[in-house]
Amino acid sequence: QVQLVESGGGLVQPGGSLRLSCAASGRLFRINAMGWYRQAPGKQRELVAVITSGGSTTYADSVKGRFAISKDNAKNTVYLQMNSLKPEDTAVYYCNAAAQAMGSRYSYDYWGQGTQVTVSS
């Protein structure tokens, strides 16, 4: 009912920047929050950043001051600007949306397919 499509991953040198995008589509009624999670090999998936419908943001301590999450409500799109990237930022980044589909009484979590970010020289 709700699809998330990510783009913008890739290979970047330490200290470089990348911008991830995630567009939500489908039978959307309301998006309550959108965010980014990441999962490195052998590790659990962790929260990177989230932004609510009201614009409040939350960041993992490890990315504060380097990453910035933003959204375009008209496009149902969330962005993650990643600056000063470090090798430890290497992971698959997943987009998440807490959204209510048309005809549904409840909000559910939806996930994108993931995009690889590799920080290496």
Side-chain angles (χ1 to χ4, degrees):
Q1 291 181 319
V2 176
Q3 296 81 41
L4 302 179
V5 178
E6 301 134 333
S7 61
L11 173 65
V12 64
Q13 292 186 342
S17 298
L18 280 176
R19 188 191 194 208
L20 305 183
S21 300
C22 173
S25 62
R27 299 179 69 250
L28 274 168
F29 175 66
R30 178 169 52 217
I31 297 176
N32 296 312
M34 293 187 77
W36 292 94
Y37 290 71
R38 67 186 180 187
Q39 188 167 19
K43 295 187 178 181
Q44 290 189 332
R45 190 174 297 189
E46 62 176 1
L47 171 71
V48 177
V50 65
I51 186 166
T52 68
S53 58
S56 298
T57 57
T58 300
Y59 294 93
D61 287 343
S62 60
V63 307
K64 284 181 180 177
R66 300 188 298 121
F67 291 11
I69 190 169
S70 60
K71 63 188 177 80
D72 184 331
N73 291 329
K75 296 181 180 180
N76 290 327
T77 298
V78 65
Y79 306 96
L80 185 68
Q81 178 66 43
M82 304 186 292
N83 300 324
S84 302
L85 282 160
K86 304 175 181 180
E88 50 263 45
D89 294 317
T90 295
V92 178
Y93 283 69
Y94 295 92
C95 179
N96 168 270
Q100 186 176 355
M102 294 285 191
S104 173
R105 296 176 59 187
Y106 305 106
S107 176
Y108 293 96
D109 274 340
Y110 296 90
W111 294 91
Q113 78 284 358
T115 185
Q116 177 70 45
V117 171
T118 302
V119 185
S120 175
S121 56

